[in-house]
PDB file of all heavy atoms in Angstrom:
ATOM      1  N   GLN L  27    -203.067 -56.012  59.922  1.00  0.00           N
ATOM      2  CA  GLN L  27    -203.114 -57.428  60.324  1.00  0.00           C
ATOM      3  C   GLN L  27    -203.465 -58.366  59.064  1.00  0.00           C
ATOM      4  O   GLN L  27    -202.959 -59.467  58.937  1.00  0.00           O
ATOM      5  CB  GLN L  27    -204.021 -57.657  61.500  1.00  0.00           C
ATOM      6  CG  GLN L  27    -203.891 -59.037  62.026  1.00  0.00           C
ATOM      7  CD  GLN L  27    -204.725 -59.247  63.350  1.00  0.00           C
ATOM      8  OE1 GLN L  27    -205.348 -58.300  63.787  1.00  0.00           O
ATOM      9  NE2 GLN L  27    -204.664 -60.373  63.929  1.00  0.00           N
ATOM     10  N   ALA L  28    -204.489 -57.952  58.378  1.00  0.00           N
ATOM     11  CA  ALA L  28    -204.855 -58.731  57.215  1.00  0.00           C
ATOM     12  C   ALA L  28    -203.748 -58.766  56.145  1.00  0.00           C
ATOM     13  O   ALA L  28    -203.557 -59.935  55.547  1.00  0.00           O
ATOM     14  CB  ALA L  28    -206.155 -58.092  56.514  1.00  0.00           C
ATOM     15  N   VAL L  29    -203.025 -57.766  55.959  1.00  0.00           N
ATOM     16  CA  VAL L  29    -201.913 -57.715  54.899  1.00  0.00           C
ATOM     17  C   VAL L  29    -200.826 -58.642  55.403  1.00  0.00           C
ATOM     18  O   VAL L  29    -200.247 -59.525  54.677  1.00  0.00           O
ATOM     19  CB  VAL L  29    -201.366 -56.384  54.691  1.00  0.00           C
ATOM     20  CG1 VAL L  29    -200.084 -56.425  53.869  1.00  0.00           C
ATOM     21  CG2 VAL L  29    -202.357 -55.514  54.050  1.00  0.00           C
ATOM     22  N   ALA L  30    -200.527 -58.601  56.735  1.00  0.00           N
ATOM     23  CA  ALA L  30    -199.494 -59.601  57.313  1.00  0.00           C
ATOM     24  C   ALA L  30    -199.977 -61.030  57.135  1.00  0.00           C
ATOM     25  O   ALA L  30    -199.115 -61.890  56.732  1.00  0.00           O
ATOM     26  CB  ALA L  30    -199.323 -59.252  58.822  1.00  0.00           C
ATOM     27  N   GLN L  31    -201.173 -61.316  57.364  1.00  0.00           N
ATOM     28  CA  GLN L  31    -201.689 -62.680  57.184  1.00  0.00           C
ATOM     29  C   GLN L  31    -201.646 -63.130  55.755  1.00  0.00           C
ATOM     30  O   GLN L  31    -201.227 -64.284  55.476  1.00  0.00           O
ATOM     31  CB  GLN L  31    -203.181 -62.888  57.686  1.00  0.00           C
ATOM     32  CG  GLN L  31    -203.646 -64.265  57.632  1.00  0.00           C
ATOM     33  CD  GLN L  31    -202.883 -65.264  58.482  1.00  0.00           C
ATOM     34  OE1 GLN L  31    -202.649 -64.976  59.722  1.00  0.00           O
ATOM     35  NE2 GLN L  31    -202.463 -66.362  57.871  1.00  0.00           N
ATOM     36  N   ALA L  32    -201.956 -62.186  54.826  1.00  0.00           N
ATOM     37  CA  ALA L  32    -201.939 -62.585  53.406  1.00  0.00           C
ATOM     38  C   ALA L  32    -200.459 -62.896  53.018  1.00  0.00           C
ATOM     39  O   ALA L  32    -200.187 -63.849  52.210  1.00  0.00           O
ATOM     40  CB  ALA L  32    -202.475 -61.358  52.552  1.00  0.00           C
ATOM     41  N   LEU L  33    -199.469 -62.067  53.530  1.00  0.00           N
ATOM     42  CA  LEU L  33    -198.087 -62.350  53.132  1.00  0.00           C
ATOM     43  C   LEU L  33    -197.604 -63.669  53.742  1.00  0.00           C
ATOM     44  O   LEU L  33    -196.909 -64.428  53.153  1.00  0.00           O
ATOM     45  CB  LEU L  33    -197.149 -61.263  53.575  1.00  0.00           C
ATOM     46  CG  LEU L  33    -197.397 -59.872  52.886  1.00  0.00           C
ATOM     47  CD1 LEU L  33    -196.583 -58.745  53.490  1.00  0.00           C
ATOM     48  CD2 LEU L  33    -197.074 -60.047  51.465  1.00  0.00           C
ATOM     49  N   ARG L  34    -198.018 -64.000  54.940  1.00  0.00           N
ATOM     50  CA  ARG L  34    -197.705 -65.263  55.547  1.00  0.00           C
ATOM     51  C   ARG L  34    -198.334 -66.437  54.808  1.00  0.00           C
ATOM     52  O   ARG L  34    -197.601 -67.441  54.542  1.00  0.00           O
ATOM     53  CB  ARG L  34    -198.224 -65.297  56.995  1.00  0.00           C
ATOM     54  CG  ARG L  34    -197.304 -64.680  58.066  1.00  0.00           C
ATOM     55  CD  ARG L  34    -197.730 -64.983  59.456  1.00  0.00           C
ATOM     56  NE  ARG L  34    -199.032 -64.489  59.805  1.00  0.00           N
ATOM     57  CZ  ARG L  34    -199.340 -63.258  60.328  1.00  0.00           C
ATOM     58  NH1 ARG L  34    -198.394 -62.433  60.486  1.00  0.00           N
ATOM     59  NH2 ARG L  34    -200.546 -62.986  60.618  1.00  0.00           N
ATOM     60  N   ASN L  35    -199.485 -66.250  54.277  1.00  0.00           N
ATOM     61  CA  ASN L  35    -200.119 -67.297  53.444  1.00  0.00           C
ATOM     62  C   ASN L  35    -199.220 -67.491  52.120  1.00  0.00           C
ATOM     63  O   ASN L  35    -198.964 -68.742  51.896  1.00  0.00           O
ATOM     64  CB  ASN L  35    -201.538 -66.934  53.024  1.00  0.00           C
ATOM     65  CG  ASN L  35    -202.507 -66.898  54.122  1.00  0.00           C
ATOM     66  OD1 ASN L  35    -202.296 -67.551  55.152  1.00  0.00           O
ATOM     67  ND2 ASN L  35    -203.707 -66.197  53.875  1.00  0.00           N
ATOM     68  N   LEU L  36    -198.884 -66.507  51.522  1.00  0.00           N
ATOM     69  CA  LEU L  36    -198.105 -66.692  50.244  1.00  0.00           C
ATOM     70  C   LEU L  36    -196.649 -67.258  50.572  1.00  0.00           C
ATOM     71  O   LEU L  36    -196.214 -68.115  49.830  1.00  0.00           O
ATOM     72  CB  LEU L  36    -197.992 -65.269  49.519  1.00  0.00           C
ATOM     73  CG  LEU L  36    -199.347 -64.695  49.015  1.00  0.00           C
ATOM     74  CD1 LEU L  36    -199.033 -63.305  48.406  1.00  0.00           C
ATOM     75  CD2 LEU L  36    -199.940 -65.749  48.015  1.00  0.00           C
ATOM     76  N   VAL L  37    -196.025 -66.817  51.620  1.00  0.00           N
ATOM     77  CA  VAL L  37    -194.674 -67.349  51.919  1.00  0.00           C
ATOM     78  C   VAL L  37    -194.870 -68.818  52.372  1.00  0.00           C
ATOM     79  O   VAL L  37    -194.026 -69.640  51.881  1.00  0.00           O
ATOM     80  CB  VAL L  37    -194.095 -66.579  53.106  1.00  0.00           C
ATOM     81  CG1 VAL L  37    -192.803 -67.172  53.558  1.00  0.00           C
ATOM     82  CG2 VAL L  37    -193.670 -65.128  52.544  1.00  0.00           C
ATOM     83  N   GLN L  38    -195.820 -69.116  53.145  1.00  0.00           N
ATOM     84  CA  GLN L  38    -196.110 -70.549  53.462  1.00  0.00           C
ATOM     85  C   GLN L  38    -196.314 -71.424  52.185  1.00  0.00           C
ATOM     86  O   GLN L  38    -195.922 -72.505  52.129  1.00  0.00           O
ATOM     87  CB  GLN L  38    -197.221 -70.752  54.485  1.00  0.00           C
ATOM     88  CG  GLN L  38    -197.368 -72.128  55.046  1.00  0.00           C
ATOM     89  CD  GLN L  38    -196.060 -72.518  55.739  1.00  0.00           C
ATOM     90  OE1 GLN L  38    -195.689 -72.029  56.753  1.00  0.00           O
ATOM     91  NE2 GLN L  38    -195.409 -73.646  55.270  1.00  0.00           N
ATOM     92  N   ASN L  39    -197.140 -70.909  51.359  1.00  0.00           N
ATOM     93  CA  ASN L  39    -197.409 -71.651  50.056  1.00  0.00           C
ATOM     94  C   ASN L  39    -196.115 -71.894  49.358  1.00  0.00           C
ATOM     95  O   ASN L  39    -195.928 -72.986  48.733  1.00  0.00           O
ATOM     96  CB  ASN L  39    -198.424 -70.963  49.225  1.00  0.00           C
ATOM     97  CG  ASN L  39    -199.957 -71.175  49.671  1.00  0.00           C
ATOM     98  OD1 ASN L  39    -200.161 -71.932  50.564  1.00  0.00           O
ATOM     99  ND2 ASN L  39    -200.768 -70.413  49.038  1.00  0.00           N
ATOM    100  N   ALA L  40    -195.268 -70.870  49.251  1.00  0.00           N
ATOM    101  CA  ALA L  40    -193.955 -71.026  48.500  1.00  0.00           C
ATOM    102  C   ALA L  40    -193.081 -72.034  49.270  1.00  0.00           C
ATOM    103  O   ALA L  40    -192.399 -72.770  48.582  1.00  0.00           O
ATOM    104  CB  ALA L  40    -193.284 -69.629  48.522  1.00  0.00           C
ATOM    105  N   LEU L  41    -193.017 -71.997  50.592  1.00  0.00           N
ATOM    106  CA  LEU L  41    -192.262 -73.005  51.375  1.00  0.00           C
ATOM    107  C   LEU L  41    -192.800 -74.450  51.038  1.00  0.00           C
ATOM    108  O   LEU L  41    -192.092 -75.340  50.856  1.00  0.00           O
ATOM    109  CB  LEU L  41    -192.248 -72.687  52.841  1.00  0.00           C
ATOM    110  CG  LEU L  41    -191.467 -71.496  53.159  1.00  0.00           C
ATOM    111  CD1 LEU L  41    -191.824 -71.077  54.645  1.00  0.00           C
ATOM    112  CD2 LEU L  41    -189.972 -71.724  53.056  1.00  0.00           C
ATOM    113  N   ASP L  42    -194.186 -74.565  51.088  1.00  0.00           N
ATOM    114  CA  ASP L  42    -194.715 -75.875  50.827  1.00  0.00           C
ATOM    115  C   ASP L  42    -194.564 -76.306  49.460  1.00  0.00           C
ATOM    116  O   ASP L  42    -194.432 -77.583  49.312  1.00  0.00           O
ATOM    117  CB  ASP L  42    -196.252 -75.824  51.149  1.00  0.00           C
ATOM    118  CG  ASP L  42    -196.705 -75.539  52.538  1.00  0.00           C
ATOM    119  OD1 ASP L  42    -195.804 -75.778  53.460  1.00  0.00           O
ATOM    120  OD2 ASP L  42    -197.824 -75.172  52.799  1.00  0.00           O
ATOM    121  N   ALA L  43    -194.349 -75.445  48.483  1.00  0.00           N
ATOM    122  CA  ALA L  43    -194.223 -75.855  46.997  1.00  0.00           C
ATOM    123  C   ALA L  43    -192.789 -76.228  46.756  1.00  0.00           C
ATOM    124  O   ALA L  43    -192.543 -76.948  45.794  1.00  0.00           O
ATOM    125  CB  ALA L  43    -194.693 -74.802  46.101  1.00  0.00           C
ATOM    126  N   SER L  44    -191.836 -75.775  47.629  1.00  0.00           N
ATOM    127  CA  SER L  44    -190.426 -75.913  47.363  1.00  0.00           C
ATOM    128  C   SER L  44    -190.005 -77.241  47.997  1.00  0.00           C
ATOM    129  O   SER L  44    -190.441 -77.639  49.092  1.00  0.00           O
ATOM    130  CB  SER L  44    -189.590 -74.708  47.941  1.00  0.00           C
ATOM    131  OG  SER L  44    -190.084 -73.589  47.309  1.00  0.00           O
ATOM    132  N   PRO L  45    -188.789 -77.738  47.440  1.00  0.00           N
ATOM    133  CA  PRO L  45    -188.151 -78.946  48.066  1.00  0.00           C
ATOM    134  C   PRO L  45    -187.681 -78.566  49.506  1.00  0.00           C
ATOM    135  O   PRO L  45    -187.395 -77.349  49.705  1.00  0.00           O
ATOM    136  CB  PRO L  45    -187.007 -79.236  47.134  1.00  0.00           C
ATOM    137  CG  PRO L  45    -187.274 -78.538  45.852  1.00  0.00           C
ATOM    138  CD  PRO L  45    -188.138 -77.389  46.193  1.00  0.00           C
ATOM    139  N   PRO L  46    -187.421 -79.621  50.349  1.00  0.00           N
ATOM    140  CA  PRO L  46    -186.913 -79.182  51.670  1.00  0.00           C
ATOM    141  C   PRO L  46    -185.495 -78.579  51.565  1.00  0.00           C
ATOM    142  O   PRO L  46    -184.686 -78.824  50.536  1.00  0.00           O
ATOM    143  CB  PRO L  46    -186.744 -80.561  52.373  1.00  0.00           C
ATOM    144  CG  PRO L  46    -187.638 -81.567  51.593  1.00  0.00           C
ATOM    145  CD  PRO L  46    -187.739 -81.023  50.139  1.00  0.00           C
ATOM    146  N   GLN L  47    -185.261 -77.565  52.405  1.00  0.00           N
ATOM    147  CA  GLN L  47    -184.034 -76.855  52.383  1.00  0.00           C
ATOM    148  C   GLN L  47    -183.826 -75.804  51.286  1.00  0.00           C
ATOM    149  O   GLN L  47    -182.835 -75.219  51.162  1.00  0.00           O
ATOM    150  CB  GLN L  47    -182.773 -77.827  52.471  1.00  0.00           C
ATOM    151  CG  GLN L  47    -182.802 -78.816  53.596  1.00  0.00           C
ATOM    152  CD  GLN L  47    -183.034 -78.227  54.953  1.00  0.00           C
ATOM    153  OE1 GLN L  47    -182.424 -77.230  55.315  1.00  0.00           O
ATOM    154  NE2 GLN L  47    -183.899 -78.907  55.637  1.00  0.00           N
ATOM    155  N   ALA L  48    -184.819 -75.713  50.403  1.00  0.00           N
ATOM    156  CA  ALA L  48    -184.865 -74.778  49.218  1.00  0.00           C
ATOM    157  C   ALA L  48    -185.009 -73.383  49.805  1.00  0.00           C
ATOM    158  O   ALA L  48    -185.652 -73.266  50.779  1.00  0.00           O
ATOM    159  CB  ALA L  48    -185.741 -75.097  48.103  1.00  0.00           C
ATOM    160  N   LYS L  49    -184.488 -72.432  49.114  1.00  0.00           N
ATOM    161  CA  LYS L  49    -184.589 -71.068  49.601  1.00  0.00           C
ATOM    162  C   LYS L  49    -185.881 -70.402  48.906  1.00  0.00           C
ATOM    163  O   LYS L  49    -186.124 -70.666  47.782  1.00  0.00           O
ATOM    164  CB  LYS L  49    -183.451 -70.225  49.247  1.00  0.00           C
ATOM    165  CG  LYS L  49    -182.200 -70.521  49.997  1.00  0.00           C
ATOM    166  CD  LYS L  49    -181.060 -69.625  49.664  1.00  0.00           C
ATOM    167  CE  LYS L  49    -179.860 -70.253  50.312  1.00  0.00           C
ATOM    168  NZ  LYS L  49    -179.176 -69.352  51.206  1.00  0.00           N
ATOM    169  N   VAL L  50    -186.583 -69.571  49.649  1.00  0.00           N
ATOM    170  CA  VAL L  50    -187.667 -68.824  49.159  1.00  0.00           C
ATOM    171  C   VAL L  50    -187.340 -67.356  49.204  1.00  0.00           C
ATOM    172  O   VAL L  50    -186.833 -66.960  50.275  1.00  0.00           O
ATOM    173  CB  VAL L  50    -189.014 -69.108  49.929  1.00  0.00           C
ATOM    174  CG1 VAL L  50    -190.089 -68.266  49.613  1.00  0.00           C
ATOM    175  CG2 VAL L  50    -189.407 -70.598  49.739  1.00  0.00           C
TER     176      VAL L  50
END
């Protein structure tokens, strides 16, 4: 569960850093 949350954090940060509609 901790690993899953860590991956979600990183993916969400990547989405937040990217322009709208950009691919991560």
Side-chain angles (χ1 to χ4, degrees):
Q27 187 173 3
V29 172
Q31 183 62 50
L33 293 175
R34 280 192 294 274
N35 289 343
L36 294 176
V37 170
Q38 187 61 58
N39 281 354
L41 289 167
D42 291 345
S44 298
Q47 308 304 317
K49 294 184 187 243
V50 170

